[in-house]
Amino acid sequence: MSIRSNPTKAVSLLLKRLEEVAAEKQVDIEDLRSELFFIKDLFSKVKENEEELLKTLTIINGYLHDSNAAKLMEEKGHMCRRIRYSTQKLLPAGASPSNSLIETFQKLKPMMNKTEVDHKAASLFWSQVQDLEMLRADYSCLVNPRTRLCFHSLSFFPQNAVIKKRRLFFWWVAVGSIKETGKERTVEEEGEAVFDDFLKGNLILPHSKGNCPVVSKFIINPSIRHKWLSPLLQKRENRQRCSIYSQMITSSQQYDVNVDCLALDKRRVKLSAESGFKSNHWRAVFNVGASYLTFGPQWLAKMGKLEVLHLGRWQDSASHHIEVESEGFLKELRDQKYLKYVSLRGISKIYKLPTFFFQLESLEILDFKACYNLETLPDDIASLKNLRHLDMSQCYLLERMPKGIEKLTNLQVLKGFLIGNPNLTPCKISDLASLKKLARLSIHIRSLAISQDKDFESLHELSTLTHLKISWGVSHSRNIPIIFPLSLVKLSLEGFPEQNIPDWLKPSKLHKGLKELTIMGGALQSMNHGEDHKRWYIFSNEKKQWYMEIVRLKYLKNLNVNQEKLQKWFPLLRYAELREVQNHSYFEWSK
């Protein structure tokens, strides 16, 4: 093979040949081999960086070709940052080691005994050094006051915490860092734009075990935490200053009465006037580390300005257990006319919500996911006219839905919609057709569920729905026809009861916009949809195939699948993850 014909494999080829020559001729090649180890992945990285820059230039060229000046102007700032970021990585200072790092390594090199050098370790060290160079943060996005406020909220989280993107969005909405901007962008789109800026600038880093192109979890770049976030906390002029529970209880000084946010960071928290915690000025309370919560009498009731009450866990794992002494504290929220965000996620010992809870008309976000002891909900939810996000998922003792969900016309996210015994839950899927703003929906089908054939067909009327999850709590279920809306991008099926691909999941029934599919758990044995594309040429010039680009198949013990089959079924595949299927404990592939 010519070195020039395939540069990405050039160094590996030379290293192999050097080893052969060294063994045959008994010559010392340590110095040359060391140098090659240090640049082993250089051409691959350069190629990746070239592709990244060309992708950005292609997008701009597309706008120019389509004479779409409005879109170009809208994306101009973002495109400039992408070009700067990609170009930096292509310049000599980014593509090869910087002078300072070379000097550091040269100082370390004499300390190594030549006969004991672990070249793999040296190569790993050099790779990490280059990665650190690439993680230099770009703070240009923080010129915007909005993004500065969003970035400041990261200071709430502990060092090296793994944070879920959507949890962060809720916090931003709750404290007013991002807001609805009318016809231009939704709150979610605003959050995505800010998140993308932080990601591109390396202020935050993706957290993933593999190479999935979708970033849903992240950590804060360790190199910037002390450099940027700590000073932010000390700035007196910052509008979103936050008092820390553990600092307050150990301080002999009275806390600043102008501070309006309280972060609960101690494992056991007691909030009461007797403990010195006055409550009449707090606007937001965030639980960042408390596992046991105790409230003194009337502490919450005296919060005349309370807008945000985030007592539940923000961590994604159920291992972060939270307990309250009793559910009595909820009764003190009766007169909170400004309260717009309540999270009780993952809190045990909450058995029911008070009847007045659905009369808090300012509520926009209500999250009681994984409240495992929750058994009943108040009867009517229709009065929550401003509600945009409702999460009732993983409340396994809950038997019915509250009445009036179909009247929540501002609802954008609805999770945990329950289909069970019709005598207990009169709400049907068809009732949701009036929710014209709904973007995310998760449905759980109980073992005693009875659904009419046309119930799930009504899903196609949800014209703004992009994410849909359906989970089954029953191993055997008759095939219910489903018609998906044209807007759907991501589909997740959990506890899938079918052994074969049902008619409604075959390529001929799905549209091209559906790009992501997850099937997790259940009885599925084959992904073969049985639609031979040749017979479709009679009716159409289109090849009948799935258009998914991201596919995850997990915990399907009866499913035998491999890379060749995946690429046959999904010709446009960019990323695949197999976990605990019949022939793979774990397999990941990316294009």
Side-chain angles (χ1 to χ4, degrees):
M1 182 191 77
S2 168
I3 294 297
R4 290 185 177 274
S5 66
N6 196 341
T8 57
K9 295 184 179 179
V11 178
S12 296
L13 177 64
L14 287 177
L15 282 168
K16 182 179 178 181
R17 290 178 178 173
L18 275 174
E19 296 291 349
E20 292 171 353
V21 170
E24 181 182 348
K25 304 295 184 180
Q26 297 296 310
V27 292
D28 183 9
I29 56 157
E30 286 300 316
D31 50 351
L32 182 55
R33 185 167 61 177
S34 297
E35 294 298 332
L36 289 176
F37 261 115
F38 297 152
I39 65 163
K40 185 177 180 181
D41 299 319
L42 180 61
F43 290 111
S44 297
K45 289 186 177 181
V46 170
K47 182 68 175 176
E48 289 173 8
N49 297 336
E50 279 183 357
E51 291 296 331
E52 185 178 308
L53 180 56
L54 286 172
K55 184 177 179 180
T56 305
L57 299 180
T58 301
I59 294 172
I60 296 173
N61 184 56
Y63 292 153
L64 295 173
H65 184 268
D66 298 336
S67 300
N68 195 347
K71 186 65 174 177
L72 181 60
M73 291 301 99
E74 181 184 335
E75 297 287 335
K76 184 176 63 173
H78 176 57
M79 290 298 169
C80 287
R81 287 191 292 275
R82 283 182 62 168
I83 291 172
R84 270 199 308 271
Y85 177 69
S86 301
T87 305
Q88 274 183 347
K89 294 196 290 186
L90 278 172
L91 291 173
S96 62
S98 67
N99 290 336
S100 61
L101 289 170
I102 290 175
E103 291 171 3
T104 301
F105 186 74
Q106 292 299 333
K107 289 178 182 178
L108 291 173
K109 196 171 180 180
M111 300 168 62
M112 302 178 183
N113 186 325
K114 286 187 177 181
T115 61
E116 297 177 359
V117 171
D118 184 339
H119 294 285
K120 287 186 178 180
S123 178
L124 178 62
F125 166 79
W126 192 241
S127 174
Q128 291 172 338
V129 165
Q130 287 179 305
D131 287 344
L132 287 173
E133 279 291 281
M134 292 303 188
L135 293 183
R136 288 177 295 182
D138 177 10
Y139 299 101
S140 60
C141 65
L142 298 180
V143 174
N144 187 322
R146 178 197 64 177
T147 52
R148 277 205 305 272
L149 288 175
C150 290
F151 189 59
H152 174 260
S153 67
L154 297 178
S155 61
F156 292 150
F157 297 96
Q159 182 88 16
N160 299 321
V162 178
I163 307 162
K164 197 166 185 177
K165 177 173 67 173
R166 290 195 60 77
R167 292 283 94 217
L168 191 64
F169 285 4
F170 296 156
W171 287 36
W172 288 346
V173 171
V175 297
S177 300
I178 56 175
K179 299 178 180 178
E180 194 85 47
T181 56
K183 296 180 180 179
E184 296 179 9
R185 288 200 289 203
T186 65
V187 167
E188 176 137 342
E189 289 170 336
E190 285 286 314
E192 288 285 358
V194 174
F195 184 83
D196 191 48
D197 284 342
F198 290 170
L199 206 57
K200 294 296 182 185
N202 281 323
L203 304 181
I204 58 178
L205 309 176
H207 177 80
S208 174
K209 293 181 179 178
N211 301 308
C212 182
V214 178
V215 179
S216 60
K217 299 177 184 178
F218 68 95
I219 62 171
I220 303 166
N221 187 338
S223 65
I224 64 158
R225 171 173 279 277
H226 299 295
K227 188 183 296 183
W228 186 269
L229 287 178
S230 296
L232 265 178
L233 283 173
Q234 298 168 7
K235 286 190 175 181
R236 302 286 295 177
E237 69 272 18
N238 194 296
R239 293 191 303 128
Q240 303 240 308
R241 289 170 296 164
C242 180
S243 188
I244 309 298
Y245 177 87
S246 60
Q247 294 177 1
M248 292 171 61
I249 62 175
T250 56
S251 174
S252 58
Q253 299 179 355
Q254 178 66 27
Y255 52 82
D256 186 350
V257 295
N258 294 316
V259 176
D260 54 6
C261 296
L262 175 63
L264 311 178
D265 65 328
K266 200 173 178 64
R267 189 166 180 265
R268 292 184 177 272
V269 165
K270 183 175 183 179
L271 296 168
S272 66
E274 292 78 11
S275 303
F277 283 92
K278 295 181 180 179
S279 61
N280 57 357
H281 66 277
W282 299 118
R283 186 174 64 85
V285 177
F286 291 101
N287 181 1
V288 294
S291 296
Y292 301 94
L293 299 168
T294 305
F295 299 92
Q298 298 298 300
W299 193 83
L300 284 169
K302 294 178 181 178
M303 284 189 162
K305 301 177 181 179
L306 187 64
E307 296 179 27
V308 177
L309 186 64
H310 190 294
L311 299 178
R313 67 169 189 253
W314 55 266
Q315 298 91 342
D316 198 34
S317 171
S319 62
H320 293 274
H321 183 70
I322 300 176
E323 282 189 16
V324 291
E325 193 172 35
S326 76
E327 60 190 10
F329 73 96
L330 292 175
K331 297 177 182 178
E332 298 182 14
L333 299 177
R334 178 186 296 274
D335 299 319
Q336 297 293 344
K337 59 182 179 179
Y338 301 114
L339 192 60
K340 61 181 182 179
Y341 177 113
V342 174
S343 171
L344 305 174
R345 173 179 290 232
I347 299 180
S348 62
K349 294 188 178 180
I350 295 179
Y351 300 95
K352 62 181 180 179
L353 295 183
T355 54
F356 69 83
F357 215 84
F358 287 167
Q359 297 170 13
L360 299 172
E361 296 185 5
S362 296
L363 270 183
E364 296 179 13
I365 299 173
L366 179 55
D367 182 359
F368 46 88
K369 176 180 179 178
C371 286
Y372 301 123
N373 299 120
L374 187 63
E375 298 174 355
T376 60
L377 295 172
D379 283 334
D380 193 3
I381 197 174
S383 60
L384 299 180
K385 302 294 185 183
N386 294 311
L387 199 65
R388 292 185 292 103
H389 180 105
L390 175 62
D391 194 340
M392 305 173 286
S393 57
Q394 296 182 26
C395 294
Y396 299 119
L397 297 182
L398 204 59
E399 293 186 334
R400 64 178 181 85
M401 292 289 92
K403 294 184 294 184
I405 288 181
E406 73 281 358
K407 297 178 182 178
L408 302 176
T409 54
N410 283 314
L411 209 58
Q412 297 173 14
V413 177
L414 174 58
K415 294 187 175 183
F417 186 86
L418 182 64
I419 299 177
N421 189 328
N423 296 325
L424 295 175
T425 301
C427 298
K428 300 177 181 178
I429 292 294
S430 55
D431 295 335
L432 303 182
S434 59
L435 304 181
K436 301 303 182 183
K437 295 182 180 181
L438 200 62
R440 293 172 180 260
L441 172 64
S442 77
I443 301 166
H444 182 65
I445 303 173
R446 282 273 176 85
S447 57
L448 297 177
I450 300 176
S451 296
Q452 302 298 320
D453 283 353
K454 293 188 177 181
D455 280 357
F456 278 84
E457 291 183 1
S458 64
L459 286 174
H460 80 279
E461 298 179 40
L462 299 174
S463 58
T464 57
L465 194 69
T466 58
H467 292 62
L468 174 63
K469 177 181 178 181
I470 303 175
S471 60
W472 287 263
V474 54
S475 57
H476 298 286
S477 176
R478 68 188 184 89
N479 194 346
I480 302 171
I482 301 174
I483 301 178
F484 299 112
L486 295 175
S487 54
L488 196 64
V489 175
K490 180 178 179 180
L491 175 63
S492 179
L493 306 173
E494 191 172 296
F496 192 60
E498 304 291 334
Q499 294 183 1
N500 299 300
I501 297 298
D503 187 63
W504 49 266
L505 196 54
K506 292 181 178 181
S508 60
K509 299 296 176 68
L510 302 178
H511 60 92
K512 295 181 181 179
L514 184 54
K515 299 298 185 184
E516 188 170 342
L517 173 67
T518 299
I519 302 179
M520 184 165 66
L524 189 65
Q525 294 182 6
S526 173
M527 290 293 295
N528 188 0
H529 50 71
E531 291 188 344
D532 184 354
H533 71 270
K534 290 181 180 179
R535 65 187 174 123
W536 287 99
Y537 283 138
I538 302 172
F539 308 103
S540 171
N541 291 327
E542 275 193 36
K543 183 178 179 179
K544 292 300 173 181
Q545 61 185 26
W546 278 315
Y547 288 89
M548 285 80 163
E549 297 177 2
I550 299 173
V551 174
R552 300 180 183 88
L553 304 172
K554 303 181 179 181
Y555 311 111
L556 299 163
K557 62 181 181 180
N558 298 317
L559 180 65
N560 189 306
V561 65
N562 55 38
Q563 182 179 334
E564 182 181 352
K565 289 180 179 179
L566 282 173
Q567 290 180 295
K568 177 184 176 182
W569 294 325
F570 305 97
L572 303 182
L573 196 63
R574 292 193 296 127
Y575 173 82
E577 180 186 353
L578 305 177
R579 185 184 295 272
E580 299 300 330
V581 296
Q582 187 183 92
N583 58 324
H584 286 289
S585 59
Y586 184 78
F587 171 80
E588 185 186 46
W589 177 86
S590 61
K591 191 173 182 178

